[in-house]
């Protein structure tokens, strides 16, 4: 049962891995402080805020938003930490409200990893305050509790942090406001108000927040919080959950946009597609809605039923929410199975420890009872997982056909109506992800644009191993075909003339795979062959990186040479390290490290074993690239919940001409632009 707290009230916490959800009617800043038993914050490293969102056991959002999800692992905080305080503040310098009395009362909920709400608190009674300590998690006699605080500060974050004993309070408050201001400047603009007749005028959003590939399997590294997803998803409830998940990238819009409030989910009966506790969020602007369900019938999943100011952004956030829900549901199921295993082992050990129970019918009966209980617990967990998977599968069946070209598979009909876009989308699909417990449910792997990391298409044998590829040459060919498919997607989603592709094929072994790029004329020049060709392409791109870096650092971007190509650059490198000398290898590493910041990206097609002769020299190169495979492989690790996601590349269906058709349109648009 959820505890609805009032100011000063506390409630015990039975779990140490939690999620704190914040809902407000306007964009606010969410931060958290770690303090000792006296409530003192000992330094800026004890504060998690948008400029430094992660601390041991704590992770917050990177920018202001109307909804936040903060991840907390109380077992991971230092022993010296006795309090974790949630801070909310209004952003300054962005033209928004300056006091909490002018906005809706923030709503804060503490939930378990399965979405079960433990306690909530509505922060009321605020007026001139612009910052508030909403609640705190505190340690008392070895156990953790949550307390509703609601202490506001008219002096903002500086006064709040100073009250917690932080010597650098004013400087840190300035750093937080600066980080938030930069994030708001990159975020999408709010939609226009709804007219009286219910129609909304067409609205062009500002560029979305830049990529944050720092996270989960979705983006390639450790997870980030801040997902603003509010779409349908499972309300898991499998039992003890030892791990948590926060999902993925920073795609937090300035304010939510969602559909009508669905009915509260109930246990038993038909599947309920309503999102758990959606009614706790502040009323968002309207979004696409489904026809009202009959009484007693579940709500129908809706494509775009997530926050965002455009359909593309809502679909992006909805896909991320599906990824989070699948991760949580699977983590909860695995935890319940582990619990059942440990319980059975404990009961069997108790039976064996009693000499009287080792023989005779009493011991056999105890062992049978332990196994029966284990089977019952596992079956219950599997039934709950199957219910959640049914919800997600129904949502996926609705969302997948509605995806735009940048998010869609190659077999999606949207590609048959493809036209070169006028502006860059938020993200790009690099493949699909799935877990062993739900092999049929595929989650699109979306990565924010422009890319922050290069890509490495591994042409070697993977850990999963695909028996259909007994010949390494076939696997190398498939890896290059996968790279061409990725390059075609990048060319297709960028406006005409804003993305240029180069290719290096030192031995000429990729002629057949590179044919779609060569024949349609989308390459900047024919693929470079031989050591001389490799050196020429690398020298030109290295010089480009140097020029742009000098112009940016000197504040003289208009001083670039006349006719300088300002488009994003992609270099496809096949059959590395063949044709590369030491100088070329050094230049390649330089492009991998410095190139993404100035619009030069790598796509390596290589087997790491082929470059083993360089030893640890190339380790930084491999680590700097996002590793993808040409065949399904479970190499994408999610450290938060411990899953290993299986990645599947986005291959073109056999016999399909969609790739050539798309590239032909890209080439035609480029020719029209250059006339």
């Amino acid at each position: 049962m959820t505890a609805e707290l009032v100011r000063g009230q506390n409630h015990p916490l039975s779990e140490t891995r939690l999620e704190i959800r914040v809902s407000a009617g306007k964009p606010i800043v969410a931060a958290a402080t770690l303090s000792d038993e006296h409530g003192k914050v000992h330094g800026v490293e004890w504060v998690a805020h948008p400029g430094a969102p992660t601390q041991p056991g704590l992770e917050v959002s990177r920018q202001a938003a109307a909804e936040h999800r903060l991840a907390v692992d109380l077992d991971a905080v230092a022993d010296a930490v006795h309090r974790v305080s949630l801070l909310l503040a209004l952003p300054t310098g962005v033209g928004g409200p300056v006091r909490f009395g002018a906005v809706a009362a923030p709503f804060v909920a503490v939930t378990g990893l399965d979405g079960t709400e433990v306690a909530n608190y509505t922060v009321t009674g605020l007026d001139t305050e612009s910052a508030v300590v909403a609640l705190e998690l505190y340690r008392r006699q070895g156990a953790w509790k949550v307390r509703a605080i609601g202490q506001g500060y008219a002096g903002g974050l500086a006064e709040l942090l100073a009250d917690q004993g932080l010597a650098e309070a004013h400087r840190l408050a300035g750093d937080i406001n600066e980080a938030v201001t930069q994030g708001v400047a990159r975020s999408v603009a709010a939609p226009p108000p709804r007219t009286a007749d219910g129609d909304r005028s067409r609205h062009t959003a500002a560029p979305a927040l830049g990529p944050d590939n720092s996270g989960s399997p979705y983006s390639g590294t450790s997870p980030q919080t801040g997902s603003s997803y509010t779409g349908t998803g499972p309300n898991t409830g499998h039992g003890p959950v030892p791990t948590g998940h926060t999902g993925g990238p920073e795609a937090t819009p300035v304010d939510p946009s969602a559909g009508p409030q669905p009915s509260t989910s109930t246990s038993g009966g038909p599947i309920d597609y309503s999102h758990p506790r959606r009614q706790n969020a502040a009323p968002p602007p309207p979004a696409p809605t489904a026809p009202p369900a009959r009484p007693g019938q579940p709500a129908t999943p809706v494509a775009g039923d997530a926050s965002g100011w455009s359909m593309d952004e809502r679909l992006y956030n909805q896909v991320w929410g599906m990824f989070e829900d699948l991760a949580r549901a699977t983590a909860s199921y695995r935890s319940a199975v582990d619990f059942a295993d440990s319980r059975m082992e404990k009961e069997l050990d108790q039976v064996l420890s009693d000499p009287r129970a080792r023989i005779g019918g009493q011991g056999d009966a105890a062992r049978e009872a332990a196994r029966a209980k284990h089977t019952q617990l596992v079956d219950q967990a599997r039934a709950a997982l199957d219910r959640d998977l049914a919800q997600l599968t129904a949502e996926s069946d609705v969302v997948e056909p509605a995806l735009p070209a940048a998010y869609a598979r190659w077999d999606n009909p949207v590609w048959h109506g493809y036209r070169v876009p006028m502006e860059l989308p938020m993200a790009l699909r690099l493949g699909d992800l799935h877990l062993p417990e739900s092999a049929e449910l595929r989650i699109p792997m979306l990565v924010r644009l422009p890319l922050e990391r290069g890509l490495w298409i591994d042409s070697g044998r993977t850990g999963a191993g695909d028996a259909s590829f007994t010949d390494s040459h076939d696997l190398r060919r498939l890896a290059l075909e996968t790279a061409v498919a990725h390059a075609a997607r990048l060319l297709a989603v960028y406006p005409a003339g804003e993305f240029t592709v180069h290719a290096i094929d030192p031995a000429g072994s990729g002629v057949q795979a590179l044919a779609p790029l060569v024949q349609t004329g989308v390459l900047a020049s024919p693929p470079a062959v031989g050591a001389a060709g490799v050196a020429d392409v690398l020298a030109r791109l290295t010089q480009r990186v140097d020029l742009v870096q000098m112009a940016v650092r000197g504040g003289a971007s208009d001083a670039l040479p006349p006719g300088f190509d300002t488009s994003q650059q992609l270099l496809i490198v096949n059959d590395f390290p063949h044709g590369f000398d030491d100088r070329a290898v050094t230049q390649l590493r330089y492009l991998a490290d410095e190139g993404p910041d100035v619009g030069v990206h790598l796509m390596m097609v290589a087997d790491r074993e082929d470059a083993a002769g360089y030893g640890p020299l190339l380790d930084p190169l491999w680590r700097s690239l996002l590793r993808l495979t040409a065949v399904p492989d479970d190499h994408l690790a999610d450290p938060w919940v411990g899953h290993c996601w299986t990645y599947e590349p986005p291959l073109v269906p056999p016999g399909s001409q969609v790739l050539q058709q798309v590239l032909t349109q890209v080439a035609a648009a480029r020719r029209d632009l250059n006339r």
Side-chain angles (χ1 to χ4, degrees):
M1 181 176 178
T2 303
E4 298 183 359
L5 304 180
V6 297
R7 182 173 298 176
Q9 184 180 359
N10 61 44
H11 184 75
L13 297 174
S14 59
E15 301 177 43
T16 57
R17 307 197 76 162
L18 305 164
E19 186 176 80
I20 301 177
R21 302 180 180 182
V22 180
S23 299
K26 294 290 183 180
I28 61 174
V29 180
T33 58
L34 306 172
S35 54
D36 60 19
E37 64 271 20
H38 304 296
K40 179 179 176 59
V41 179
H42 288 269
V44 295
E45 66 274 8
W46 286 44
V47 183
H49 58 84
T54 58
Q55 299 295 341
L58 188 61
E59 195 164 13
V60 304
S61 304
R62 289 181 178 268
Q63 71 174 47
E67 293 186 357
H68 293 273
R69 292 187 180 184
L70 288 69
V72 181
D73 182 0
L74 297 174
D75 287 335
V77 301
D79 293 339
V81 173
H82 286 256
R83 297 185 192 177
V84 179
S85 302
L86 171 65
L87 319 181
L88 305 178
L90 294 171
T92 61
V94 295
V98 296
R99 61 188 187 93
F100 273 110
V103 302
F107 176 85
V108 183
V110 179
T111 72
L113 298 178
D114 59 356
T116 303
E117 197 168 281
V118 179
N120 63 50
Y121 172 49
T122 302
V123 189
T124 58
L126 300 177
D127 187 10
T128 61
E129 298 86 351
S130 60
V132 60
V133 179
L135 54 78
E136 67 178 13
L137 312 178
Y138 65 101
R139 198 197 312 252
R140 181 65 55 84
Q141 296 179 348
W144 287 91
K145 297 183 177 182
V146 56
R147 176 188 289 126
I149 303 297
Q151 176 63 52
Y153 295 82
L157 277 173
E159 182 182 356
L160 186 157
L161 294 171
D163 189 51
Q164 294 196 356
L166 181 62
E168 306 92 340
H170 286 80
R171 179 178 64 82
L172 181 58
D175 293 342
I176 295 175
N177 288 329
E178 181 180 357
V180 171
T181 301
Q182 293 176 354
V184 170
R186 296 191 300 266
S187 62
V188 295
R194 183 166 182 159
T195 59
D197 62 359
D199 293 328
R200 284 180 288 180
S201 59
R202 185 177 297 276
H203 173 68
T204 301
L209 178 64
D212 181 9
N213 294 339
S214 57
S216 53
Y218 234 110
S219 53
T221 53
S222 63
Q224 294 291 340
T225 58
S227 171
S228 53
Y229 170 67
T230 56
T232 58
N235 180 11
T236 57
H238 309 279
V241 185
T243 56
H245 181 74
T246 56
E250 286 299 322
T252 314
V254 176
D255 205 7
S257 175
Q261 302 291 346
S263 60
T264 305
S265 60
T266 58
S267 59
I271 299 171
D272 187 354
Y273 295 105
S274 60
H275 188 276
R277 290 165 302 285
R278 185 192 295 268
Q279 65 273 15
N280 290 335
T289 61
R294 297 178 182 177
Q297 295 296 321
T300 304
V302 177
D305 190 16
S307 58
W309 305 124
S310 67
M311 177 56 77
D312 284 1
E313 186 182 1
R314 289 195 291 268
L315 287 169
Y316 172 82
N317 289 335
Q318 188 170 11
V319 168
W320 270 106
M322 293 165 59
F323 171 80
E324 291 181 338
D325 288 337
L326 179 56
R328 289 191 179 99
T330 305
S332 187
Y333 167 74
R334 293 179 179 180
S335 173
V337 172
D338 290 343
F339 171 76
D341 292 342
S342 62
R343 173 173 177 153
M344 182 178 69
E345 291 178 1
K346 181 179 179 181
E347 292 178 350
L348 292 177
D349 288 342
Q350 290 177 346
V351 172
L352 294 176
S353 64
D354 186 357
R356 294 171 298 178
R358 294 177 186 173
I359 57 176
Q362 182 179 358
D364 294 339
R367 283 187 285 270
E368 288 298 325
R371 295 188 181 99
K373 184 62 176 178
H374 174 271
T375 302
Q376 179 186 3
L377 292 174
V378 172
D379 290 345
Q380 289 177 351
R382 185 69 212 191
L385 176 64
D386 290 342
R387 182 181 64 246
D388 295 339
L389 293 180
Q391 288 183 254
L392 286 170
T393 300
E395 187 173 10
S396 177
D397 291 342
V398 173
V399 170
E400 190 70 48
L403 294 177
Y407 305 171
R409 291 194 296 255
W410 284 114
D411 59 358
N412 193 309
V414 70
W415 286 106
H416 297 295
Y418 168 78
R419 293 294 182 270
V420 177
M422 299 300 293
E423 56 185 31
L424 185 67
M426 289 183 60
L428 179 74
R429 186 172 190 160
L430 292 182
D432 293 334
L433 299 171
H434 68 86
L435 292 169
E437 290 85 354
S438 53
E440 299 302 319
L441 178 60
R442 301 296 198 270
I443 304 296
M445 178 179 173
L446 303 182
V447 174
R448 294 294 294 267
L449 293 176
L451 297 174
E452 275 195 348
R453 306 172 64 190
L455 303 178
W456 166 28
I457 315 301
D458 193 347
S459 60
R461 295 196 176 276
T462 63
D466 193 330
S468 62
F469 290 94
T470 57
D471 190 347
S472 62
H473 294 290
D474 291 340
L475 192 57
R476 293 173 188 270
R477 174 187 50 79
L478 184 61
L480 186 54
E481 290 177 352
T482 303
V484 169
H486 286 307
R489 277 181 168 271
L490 286 164
L491 284 164
V493 301
Y494 270 83
E498 294 189 11
F499 197 81
T500 303
V501 178
H502 310 266
I504 290 177
D505 186 21
S509 59
V511 172
Q512 182 179 356
L514 292 171
L517 300 178
V518 176
Q519 294 171 359
T520 55
V522 295
L523 287 179
S525 58
V529 296
V534 171
D536 178 63
V537 173
L538 292 177
R540 285 190 283 112
L541 291 178
T542 302
Q543 183 183 38
R544 175 190 176 86
V545 172
D546 292 337
L547 286 174
V548 177
Q549 281 186 338
M550 287 188 293
V552 171
R553 291 169 182 171
S557 56
D558 56 347
L560 291 170
F564 187 84
D565 183 8
T566 59
S567 65
Q568 298 276 313
Q569 308 285 312
L570 175 70
L571 173 60
I572 302 176
V573 180
N574 183 41
D575 208 15
F576 177 82
H578 182 83
F580 282 74
D581 55 19
D582 291 344
R583 177 180 175 81
V585 170
T586 302
Q587 290 175 320
L588 195 67
R589 287 185 53 189
Y590 177 73
L591 292 178
D593 294 337
E594 305 293 337
D597 290 338
V598 294
V600 178
H601 311 281
L602 282 183
M603 185 181 291
M604 300 277 293
V605 182
D607 181 357
R608 189 168 182 174
E609 292 299 322
D610 292 343
Y614 286 93
L617 177 66
L618 292 181
D619 286 350
L621 173 65
W622 305 119
R623 287 195 299 266
S624 68
L625 303 174
L626 173 59
R627 178 176 175 252
L628 304 176
T629 55
V631 294
D633 184 55
D634 58 350
H635 68 279
L636 290 176
D638 186 344
W640 195 275
V641 290
H643 298 333
C644 285
W645 292 82
T646 297
Y647 166 81
E648 290 192 8
L651 298 178
V652 179
S656 174
Q657 298 299 313
V658 62
L659 188 70
Q660 287 77 5
Q661 294 170 2
V662 169
L663 292 177
T664 299
Q665 290 200 37
V666 171
R670 182 176 298 177
R671 287 193 297 268
D672 293 341
L673 183 68
N674 295 331
R675 286 178 182 174

